[in-house]
């Protein structure tokens, strides 16, 4: 295998493995044995190692000394910290984008919201997974909001946090959409942004994330242990 073929193989494994981690195809905490990954994606050992190391640097794979690679676990504490950090960073990025954004930025938001609003989040009522096109357009919309913040570093961090959030959303697709109108939540954010109402836009963005936090918390919160009471047998 020449150098170009090796890079192509490593990129292919990286992209496919990344998607399987994000959409729950590989369960949280699962050990990623080199041979298993190699067989699953039909790639050699070196491209697999390169892909795992790259994903490890992005936080989507956990590397443990002397133990190998693992899909990162999920936890209620991790989910809360993730949402809190997204609120901080994306709130600031949105604030700066509203300050700096021009007409082209506004048009980008309008177009991305339009595409998002026309895309069903499930392909059918029987489907238990999110429509991939919905995920992509949802991500595109949120990136459009912060595109004019003036910091590629901040945008890069926000992208990584979006990936982490996607993992948690896939834990309970049905729950995260039950009893809420996500389209109207995004519409409200869009209207506040286009009206240049910074405080309201940030408030609506944060509330949008907090609502998702509350819906998914119930799915990853361990059930309370019921203590046996012998007096109930009396």
């Amino acid at each position: 295998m020449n150098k170009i073929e090796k890079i192509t193989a490593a990129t292919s494994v990286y992209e496919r493995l990344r998607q399987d981690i994000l959409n729950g195809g590989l369960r949280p905490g699962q050990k990623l044995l080199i041979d298993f990954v190699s067989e699953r994606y039909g790639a050699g050992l070196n491209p697999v190692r390169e892909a795992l190391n790259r994903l490890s640097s992005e936080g989507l794979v956990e590397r443990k000394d002397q133990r190998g690679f693992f899909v990162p676990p999920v936890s209620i504490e991790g989910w809360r910290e993730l949402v809190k950090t997204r609120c901080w960073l994306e709130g600031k990025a949105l604030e700066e984008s509203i300050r700096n954004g021009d007409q082209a930025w506004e048009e980008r938001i309008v177009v991305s919201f339009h595409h998002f609003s026309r895309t069903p989040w499930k392909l059918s009522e029987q489907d238990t997974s999110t429509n991939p096109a919905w995920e992509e357009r949802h991500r595109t919309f949120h990136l459009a909001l912060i595109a004019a913040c003036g910091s590629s570093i901040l945008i890069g961090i926000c992208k990584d946090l979006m990936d982490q959030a996607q993992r948690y959303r896939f834990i309970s697709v049905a729950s995260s959409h039950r009893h809420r109108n996500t389209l109207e939540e995004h519409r409200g954010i869009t209207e506040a942004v286009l009206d240049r109402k910074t405080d309201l836009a940030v408030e609506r963005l944060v509330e949008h994330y907090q609502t998702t936090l509350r819906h998914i918390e119930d799915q990853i919160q361990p059930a309370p242990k019921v203590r046996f009471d012998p007096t109930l047998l009396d």
Side-chain angles (χ1 to χ4, degrees):
M1 180 181 293
N2 61 40
K3 185 175 181 180
I4 294 177
E5 290 174 335
K6 182 179 178 181
I7 293 173
T8 301
T11 300
S12 175
V13 175
Y14 162 81
E15 291 176 347
R16 294 168 65 192
L17 179 56
R18 180 177 180 276
Q19 282 305 309
D20 279 347
I21 291 171
L22 292 179
N23 65 23
L26 295 168
R27 67 183 184 277
Q30 180 174 345
K31 187 169 185 177
L32 299 172
L33 296 169
I34 300 293
D35 290 341
F36 164 78
V37 177
S38 176
E39 182 177 351
R40 182 181 178 95
Y41 302 109
L45 300 183
N46 286 336
V48 166
R49 290 192 182 95
E50 288 184 28
L52 287 169
N53 283 321
R54 182 177 173 184
L55 288 165
S56 176
S57 70
E58 296 175 0
L60 290 177
V61 164
E62 188 175 47
R63 183 173 187 172
K64 299 181 180 179
D65 291 341
Q66 309 301 320
R67 296 184 59 193
F69 297 95
F70 295 80
V71 178
V74 296
S75 68
I76 190 68
E77 294 81 9
W79 174 232
R80 288 169 178 165
E81 181 179 2
L82 174 59
V83 173
K84 180 169 66 174
T85 306
R86 288 193 75 188
C87 290
W88 285 342
L89 297 184
E90 289 188 43
K92 181 60 177 177
L94 180 57
E95 180 183 329
E96 291 299 311
S97 286
I98 293 174
R99 189 195 318 277
N100 302 326
D102 55 12
Q103 183 176 346
W105 171 70
E106 290 186 358
E107 291 173 353
R108 179 175 174 180
I109 292 173
V110 171
V111 171
S112 63
F113 175 74
H114 174 73
H115 289 161
F116 169 71
S117 68
R118 301 295 294 271
T119 307
W121 71 275
K122 286 201 304 182
L123 294 175
S124 70
E125 288 300 319
Q126 294 73 35
D127 203 344
T128 58
S129 60
T130 307
N131 178 1
W134 185 95
E135 281 290 349
E136 180 60 32
R137 290 175 179 178
H138 179 247
R139 178 185 177 86
T140 298
F141 170 77
H142 278 279
L143 287 175
L145 292 176
I146 63 174
C149 72
S151 172
S152 59
I153 295 175
L154 179 55
I155 291 174
I157 295 172
C158 290
K159 285 181 178 180
D160 289 342
L161 295 177
M162 287 180 188
D163 289 341
Q164 295 289 347
Q166 183 175 328
R167 291 184 63 227
Y168 280 88
R169 285 205 314 276
F170 266 96
I171 293 172
S172 180
V173 172
S175 174
S176 62
H177 285 78
R178 189 180 301 149
H179 307 310
R180 67 185 293 197
N181 190 330
T182 55
L183 179 58
E184 288 307 309
E185 291 175 26
H186 289 88
R187 190 189 309 279
I189 296 169
T190 301
E191 291 173 351
V193 168
L194 296 179
D195 289 340
R196 304 284 175 155
K197 296 179 178 178
T198 303
D199 291 344
L200 180 60
V202 172
E203 178 185 322
R204 287 179 175 176
L205 179 68
V206 169
E207 178 55 30
H208 171 61
Y209 289 154
Q210 292 287 351
T211 300
T212 303
L213 166 68
R214 292 189 293 270
H215 278 270
I216 296 180
E217 266 184 335
D218 293 339
Q219 302 303 306
I220 55 179
Q221 184 81 272
K225 294 182 179 180
V226 178
R227 187 173 181 178
F228 175 67
D229 185 354
T231 62
L232 295 176
L233 299 178
D234 293 343

